[in-house]
Amino acid sequence: SDIIVEYTDQKVMEYIESILPLLTGFDVVEQDLNKCILKNIASVNETEFESALRKMFLLLVSYANGTYSILRKEEYPALVALANLESRQNKLKLFCGRVVNLTGYQKLKCPTLMYLLIQRLEDVADRLFLLSTQVLASANKQGFKLSKVTVKLCGELTPMVEVLHDLYYTHDNEKDEKILNMRYDMMK
């Protein structure tokens, strides 16, 4: 299906061009001074959903591990190299969300819950990106040092995501309890 965007300000088209790389399968097929048409030029394949969701989990584990390692070693400039992981996570989230919206994905028999899971995985990546941005902005200031608590919490994130990943693919009550306890400990 086509998406028709009408505008009076060319900044709208600039914005569309800036987010187009995130919209897997979409491209501008027609454009004039105050209108553009986006078309899905690639099919949304429900079978690719599980692969993309697994990539979201694995990418998040990698992002959390990398961030923790950099913070622990206080090698803050290296955080810049991880920024692409957040943008890749955005792209996967948009793809998975589109599959859920278009196909009513039935893994949990409730597309809303699946969409919520996808959104929460993206939220964690967003928070890691925000943390990295704030650290990079402050790292050159004299006397800057992250608190041990912040570094410790970042280190606890990876095991939580790994348990959530395992819980999603092989549900059992022990994993339920484990992740709830991890969350409780982190909240304290």
Side-chain angles (χ1 to χ4, degrees):
S1 64
D2 294 349
I3 299 172
I4 300 170
V5 181
E6 295 178 355
Y7 50 88
T8 56
D9 186 346
Q10 283 298 312
K11 289 184 181 187
V12 172
M13 190 60 209
E14 291 171 17
Y15 176 72
I16 290 169
E17 291 288 345
S18 73
I19 65 165
L20 204 53
L22 296 175
L23 303 175
T24 303
F26 276 92
D27 204 356
V28 175
V29 293
E30 189 178 317
Q31 178 182 349
D32 62 29
L33 290 176
N34 52 4
K35 179 178 84 174
C36 77
I37 299 175
L38 298 166
K39 186 174 188 79
N40 182 10
I41 58 174
S43 64
V44 174
N45 187 339
E46 188 176 344
T47 60
E48 294 173 17
F49 175 85
E50 282 297 330
S51 174
L53 183 62
R54 187 175 297 273
K55 285 178 188 171
M56 283 189 78
F57 276 112
L58 298 177
L59 198 67
L60 189 54
V61 167
S62 178
Y63 197 8
N65 265 336
T67 302
Y68 173 62
S69 177
I70 290 166
L71 296 181
R72 191 171 34 87
K73 295 175 186 175
E74 298 181 10
E75 297 173 350
Y76 306 129
L79 290 169
V80 172
L82 295 179
N84 69 330
L85 295 177
E86 195 273 338
S87 63
R88 287 176 52 206
Q89 189 79 333
N90 287 341
K91 190 171 186 172
L92 289 166
K93 180 251 181 189
L94 289 170
F95 172 78
C96 288
R98 209 161 108 218
V99 172
V100 170
N101 287 333
L102 291 174
T103 65
Y105 189 75
Q106 296 297 312
K107 176 79 176 177
L108 296 176
K109 294 190 171 75
C110 183
T112 304
L113 291 177
M114 184 57 69
Y115 195 85
L116 187 61
L117 172 65
I118 295 162
Q119 182 60 52
R120 292 302 167 251
L121 292 173
E122 168 57 18
D123 287 346
V124 175
D126 286 347
R127 297 307 183 272
L128 286 169
F129 183 77
L130 180 61
L131 173 65
S132 296
T133 303
Q134 291 174 340
V135 168
L136 286 168
S138 301
N140 293 330
K141 294 179 182 174
Q142 187 173 358
F144 173 77
K145 181 134 175 102
L146 278 175
S147 73
K148 290 180 181 179
V149 172
T150 301
V151 175
K152 180 180 181 286
L153 287 171
C154 191
E156 292 173 2
L157 185 59
T158 299
M160 281 188 78
V161 174
E162 289 171 337
V163 171
L164 181 60
H165 172 269
D166 292 345
L167 184 61
Y168 176 78
Y169 289 102
T170 55
H171 181 265
D172 72 35
N173 292 337
E174 283 182 33
K175 290 176 191 169
D176 281 344
E177 189 172 325
K178 183 175 182 177
I179 199 157
L180 288 174
N181 287 336
M182 292 171 89
R183 182 181 180 279
Y184 177 75
D185 291 343
M186 189 179 265
M187 296 297 284
K188 284 197 292 185

